[in-house]
Amino acid sequence: MKKFPSVLLIPFLLFTFFMFFVPIRATSSIVFTTLGRSLYCFDIFATLISPSSSQAELQLTDGVSVNYNGFFPSSPSSLISLFNLSSSSSRTNNIEGLIYVTERSGYSTIYLDIYPSSSSPSNRRETLELRTRLHFALLPEHDGLPSVSMKDRPSLSGDRLIFVSTHEPSHSPRQSWAAVYSTHLPTGSTTRLTPDDIADFSPAVSPSGRWTAVASSGERGWTGEVQELNTDIYVFKTSDGSARTLVVEHGGWPCWADDSTIYFHRKSSDEWWSVYRAALSTHGDAPLLISIERITPPGFHAFTPAVSAAAPGLIAVATRRASSQFRHIELIDLRDGNINAYIEVTRVISPNAHHFNPFFSPDARRIGYHRCRGSRNGGNPPLLLENLKSLKPETFSLFRIDGSFPSFSPDGRQIAYVNLPGVYVVNSDGSNPREVYNGNAFPTAWDWKRKGVIYTSNGPEFAQESTGVDIISITLNEDDDKAEPLIKKLTSAGKNNAFPSPSPDGKWVVFRSGRSGYKNLYVMDAVEGESAGIYQLTEGPWSDTMCNWSPDGEWIAFASDRDNPGSGSFSIYMIHPNGTGLRKVVHSGNGGRTNHPWFSPDSASLVFTSDYAGVSAEPISNPHHYQPYGEIFTVKIDGSEIKRLTHNSFEDGTPTWTPFFLEPTDVVESLQGVAHCRFDDCHWLSLQNRIKNVLNGTGC
Ligand SMILES: *[C@@H]1O[C@H](CO)[C@@H](O)[C@H](O)[C@H]1NC(C)=O
Ligand SMILES: *[C@@H]1O[C@H](CO)[C@@H](O)[C@H](O)[C@H]1NC(C)=O
Ligand SMILES: *[C@@H]1O[C@H](CO)[C@@H](O)[C@H](O)[C@H]1NC(C)=O
């Protein structure tokens, strides 16, 4: 045979190389869920505190991303000189400032807005013209303060910013990473004020700046609390964290009226969240508790207090009362012996929204808080895919999706997800969203070989072994979006058959079933279901669940409570599809949770959700989250290199990892009828079980 002339072969090889290798990006994407977060649309608002009919709520932040946990610095003009800002727009004595948390860059960071103030209420709208706003990040990215972390609860003391950050890992699992730091703004140098391996939440700096109070569970650490963290209040020197002293047992969210008075909240023994006042002696080297007094009576919940040095007897709180389904801001006026003079602030001006975490202006004339901006206040629309800053942008882009249990079609062009009740499919550019199944179903997983086939399970979630849940396949009509998908039931016993995951050769589906009386893993025929072939993969008196088949076909990863059946603690295990090689990959300390494993495209790592980093904020300062400790992590399949991908105080879960690279930009929700602001206040603040006490004369 004649030798192929190499001069022809080389271009051919090059052509082949570019055809087949160049378009394949060396990157992938991780997509996960945060309960309700896509609809929070938080902005900071403020209103005058004096009640008046013309009273209006003013939106202070610009409607980009979410903006929350604000703080009015006491001398904004000093910030102008601190940052060498041109005073052209600023008659410096007429400047207002707002420091707040924003997630506009794909991670939470602290911003400062400076804008001209208005002395007369009549033209205050004009003060909100965004054109006049100076607007910048207070904590620029630099060595030692990585941006992929949570920054929260800012306050200012001179030229130092005091805040919470999660950028340093704790040394043990289930120990929160939240700690208080102080950044010297002119130089950017940052010091940790919280001792190593202690978590501190909700810092507040005293009016003199000398003291900082925090909520901390101290050496005890986090023991799984998801409602009240049972923190104590510690006080330390703002300058260096020294003289750290336990001043109040059982309390959270401290705020200072003056250098010897702290207000805080706690859940009282009568079950009502209430605000308390502690008198301290802070003249000596270490603060000393003198007395504690309950301020708000039983009959309604009051929490997240704020006070102002300019009006020490005036306390702002968030409340939940039987008279409203919403969380509202109220003032308690204790001045002039006005015991229990309550002034409603937000219920009269925006009755149908939850309002969070009030704060006063330095002159105590205005009160700020955050709430969902709603659809009428402009700002960014809800997002289908919110881009987050990736820890390893060269390996994966990172997104939060507005739905749960996302999974990608093998070509990466479509995403299936759950929005209970119903399974949806959307193109990965956000176009053509459609419901493909309208029953209660979870999770989603695409077949690797047969086009348009999605596996899910239909029935109630979080149910007992015997509950009627069955696996179905949904076959989309790829030529006609409008055509009804074909639904096929693959199991029939109805004994909690759920979490299907197909093998890469398209022949098998692994799933969990309660058919033996325990939830164990089974493998069945992918096309015809259990009637065409089934075998049991794991067996034992415990729960194996949330299984995922590796792209190389070698492993099935799953979550199991076999280390302590029934305890609620889950580890991630792996097993070969032939039943050999069982091993534990990762657990979150003793009693922790690692759930929802999903293999990386190269089958060498897993992404999963876990309580490995505890909780990052007091849950009562957020909307409802069942599992506020949920964060997304990756781990090598040998159990090494645990990496935290998400840092926030919300519940992150149900991650997927696709070989398809999504450009790191936001994708706007195009599904019609997605309501803004559709999220719940903390369920455990429900007044239902207490309502009779309320009607029985106490509150309201
Ligand atoms: C502001 O200007 C002063 C004097 O020119 C300089 O020393 C300082 O570093 C500047 N600060 C900032 C934040 O740029
Ligand atoms: C089971 O599967 C694994 C992974 O494919 C393989 O290495 C092993 O030899 C198999 N064992 C048996 C007994 O078939
Ligand atoms: C409420 O009901 C209880 C029991 O029915 C009764 O003893 C009490 O007097 C009522 N009033 C108040 C204010 O608790």
Side-chain angles (χ1 to χ4, degrees):
M1 198 197 264
K2 265 175 80 176
K3 232 178 114 189
F4 222 108
S6 59
V7 67
L8 288 179
L9 189 59
I10 287 165
F12 174 74
L13 285 175
L14 279 175
F15 174 75
T16 312
F17 179 81
F18 282 109
M19 273 301 288
F20 291 100
F21 293 96
V22 173
I24 299 173
R25 318 278 297 249
T27 43
S28 58
S29 308
I30 292 174
V31 180
F32 67 95
T33 302
T34 305
L35 184 79
R37 167 63 175 70
S38 318
L39 299 171
Y40 287 176
C41 301
F42 286 150
D43 264 305
I44 293 172
F45 290 73
T47 185
L48 291 171
I49 64 166
S50 59
S52 96
S53 56
S54 66
Q55 194 174 34
E57 215 184 11
L58 305 172
Q59 185 176 332
L60 295 183
T61 46
D62 61 3
V64 174
S65 180
V66 286
N67 306 295
Y68 55 90
N69 287 348
F71 164 76
F72 289 123
S74 58
S75 60
S77 48
S78 71
L79 288 168
I80 299 229
S81 49
L82 194 61
F83 288 96
N84 296 340
L85 299 174
S86 113
S87 55
S88 61
S89 66
S90 56
R91 293 137 292 154
T92 29
N93 56 349
N94 244 343
I95 289 294
E96 286 178 11
L98 175 69
I99 294 176
Y100 59 100
V101 181
T102 180
E103 296 183 7
R104 63 191 58 218
S105 310
Y107 53 92
S108 78
T109 190
I110 295 169
Y111 262 52
L112 168 66
D113 283 9
I114 284 182
Y115 43 90
S117 67
S118 160
S119 43
S120 83
S122 61
N123 66 349
R124 58 188 193 264
R125 280 273 166 213
E126 282 118 65
T127 68
L128 299 166
E129 285 291 324
L130 298 185
R131 269 165 294 163
T132 63
R133 178 192 298 274
L134 287 166
H135 171 85
F136 51 95
L138 273 181
L139 294 172
E141 227 176 295
H142 60 82
D143 291 347
L145 199 60
S147 60
V148 181
S149 68
M150 186 193 89
K151 308 287 192 305
D152 199 8
R153 290 288 290 162
S155 47
L156 200 65
S157 173
D159 55 5
R160 291 191 163 269
L161 188 72
I162 315 298
F163 58 99
V164 170
S165 175
T166 56
H167 68 271
E168 285 181 298
S170 62
H171 292 109
S172 43
R174 307 188 85 214
Q175 169 71 47
S176 173
W177 299 16
V180 175
Y181 293 83
S182 161
T183 294
H184 182 236
L185 291 171
T187 59
S189 111
T190 296
T191 50
R192 180 175 172 127
L193 301 180
T194 301
D196 275 355
D197 282 320
I198 297 279
D200 280 345
F201 309 97
S202 316
V205 179
S206 71
S208 76
R210 184 157 182 240
W211 302 104
T212 293
V214 295
S216 178
S217 42
E219 314 264 313
R220 179 174 61 89
W222 180 66
T223 50
E225 298 89 352
V226 295
Q227 300 181 5
E228 193 187 17
L229 299 184
N230 293 316
T231 50
D232 303 318
I233 294 174
Y234 288 77
V235 169
F236 52 75
K237 284 192 178 146
T238 309
S239 55
D240 58 2
S242 66
R244 184 181 172 97
T245 311
L246 169 64
V247 294
V248 172
E249 281 182 25
H250 188 195
W253 206 266
C255 62
W256 298 84
D258 54 54
D259 265 48
S260 55
T261 310
I262 285 178
Y263 288 83
F264 62 95
H265 64 208
R266 73 160 64 132
K267 189 176 177 184
S268 307
S269 53
D270 58 18
E271 300 281 297
W272 296 101
W273 282 76
S274 307
V275 170
Y276 290 75
R277 176 173 52 212
L280 311 179
S281 154
T282 48
H283 303 301
D285 265 356
L288 205 67
L289 176 68
I290 297 170
S291 63
I292 293 181
E293 185 187 356
R294 182 172 177 171
I295 300 298
T296 61
F300 64 100
H301 296 298
F303 43 87
T304 57
V307 282
S308 160
L314 202 56
I315 301 133
V317 293
T319 60
R320 282 304 308 277
R321 289 183 184 260
S323 53
S324 173
Q325 292 173 8
F326 293 92
R327 176 186 293 212
H328 282 298
I329 308 300
E330 297 184 38
L331 294 171
I332 310 170
D333 193 348
L334 300 179
R335 296 173 299 186
D336 307 325
N338 270 333
I339 301 301
N340 286 2
Y342 288 87
I343 304 162
E344 290 192 301
V345 176
T346 56
R347 198 179 65 88
V348 288
I349 48 183
S350 100
N352 300 320
H354 296 301
H355 301 74
F356 295 87
N357 307 351
F359 55 101
F360 279 103
S361 64
D363 61 6
R365 286 178 60 239
R366 289 172 310 142
I367 184 154
Y369 45 85
H370 63 268
R371 70 163 175 89
C372 180
R373 57 184 160 263
S375 51
R376 260 175 269 134
N377 284 296
N380 285 8
L383 299 174
L384 173 72
L385 292 169
E386 179 185 0
N387 178 237
L388 301 191
K389 182 148 177 156
S390 167
L391 199 60
K392 292 185 180 174
E394 70 288 356
T395 310
F396 56 83
S397 53
L398 181 65
F399 293 88
R400 168 183 282 144
I401 189 168
D402 183 22
S404 50
F405 295 108
S407 71
F408 282 75
S409 60
D411 64 5
R413 294 218 176 100
Q414 299 183 85
I415 311 170
Y417 62 94
V418 168
N419 215 336
L420 289 175
V423 176
Y424 291 77
V425 168
V426 63
N427 293 344
S428 48
D429 64 3
S431 63
N432 197 19
R434 56 206 190 275
E435 191 182 60
V436 299
Y437 183 73
N438 66 8
N440 199 81
F442 64 97
T444 72
W446 293 73
D447 194 274
W448 299 77
K449 297 286 186 202
R450 293 185 296 142
K451 282 194 81 178
V453 176
I454 300 163
Y455 300 93
T456 186
S457 31
N458 168 224
E461 65 275 27
F462 298 115
Q464 296 302 312
E465 283 75 4
S466 58
T467 310
V469 183
D470 273 308
I471 308 236
I472 58 174
S473 62
I474 301 169
T475 305
L476 309 179
N477 187 324
E478 297 267 286
D479 303 321
D480 179 7
D481 290 341
K482 305 276 178 296
E484 279 290 308
L486 195 75
I487 309 296
K488 183 165 183 166
K489 215 169 154 187
L490 301 181
T491 58
S492 59
K495 293 268 163 77
N496 213 334
N497 302 299
F499 288 102
S501 177
S503 62
D505 64 8
K507 292 188 175 139
W508 304 99
V509 167
V510 63
F511 64 104
R512 76 109 199 270
S513 174
R515 60 188 64 203
S516 71
Y518 297 105
K519 292 174 183 170
N520 291 140
L521 302 186
Y522 295 77
V523 177
M524 69 176 165
D525 186 276
V527 182
E528 298 301 330
E530 64 181 11
S531 61
I534 182 167
Y535 64 91
Q536 186 164 0
L537 182 63
T538 64
E539 186 176 359
W542 50 67
S543 286
D544 301 323
T545 186
M546 304 171 185
C547 34
N548 183 254
W549 208 310
S550 67
D552 65 7
E554 288 286 301
W555 291 103
I556 288 160
F558 60 100
S560 178
D561 70 352
R562 57 181 64 206
D563 298 325
N564 191 357
S567 67
S569 173
F570 281 81
S571 317
I572 289 172
Y573 278 82
M574 295 201 316
I575 191 169
H576 287 306
N578 63 12
T580 66
L582 177 78
R583 62 179 158 93
K584 193 192 311 200
V585 182
V586 62
H587 196 196
S588 175
N590 191 13
R593 290 161 182 242
T594 49
N595 287 106
H596 296 291
W598 196 290
F599 279 98
S600 61
D602 64 4
S603 303
S605 301
L606 290 162
V607 64
F608 62 102
T609 182
S610 179
D611 64 359
Y612 192 81
V615 293
S616 300
E618 291 190 53
I620 200 167
S621 64
N622 275 332
H624 187 72
H625 287 272
Y626 295 93
Q627 301 172 102
Y629 46 77
E631 298 287 336
I632 307 297
F633 295 81
T634 57
V635 64
K636 296 270 191 209
I637 60 171
D638 65 5
S640 68
E641 288 187 39
I642 297 173
K643 295 250 191 311
R644 179 176 181 179
L645 303 191
T646 60
H647 291 254
N648 58 62
S649 56
F650 310 131
E651 173 182 351
D652 300 329
T654 65
T656 186
W657 198 336
T658 167
F660 184 72
F661 176 68
L662 289 180
E663 292 296 336
T665 56
D666 293 338
V667 174
V668 168
E669 184 95 65
S670 61
L671 197 65
Q672 294 302 305
V674 172
H676 282 66
C677 312
R678 192 193 54 196
F679 57 82
D680 293 337
D681 198 5
C682 299
H683 291 177
W684 35 268
L685 282 174
S686 157
L687 299 155
Q688 288 315 311
N689 51 349
R690 303 186 180 104
I691 222 148
K692 61 176 184 320
N693 300 347
V694 174
L695 298 176
N696 199 2
T698 36
C700 310

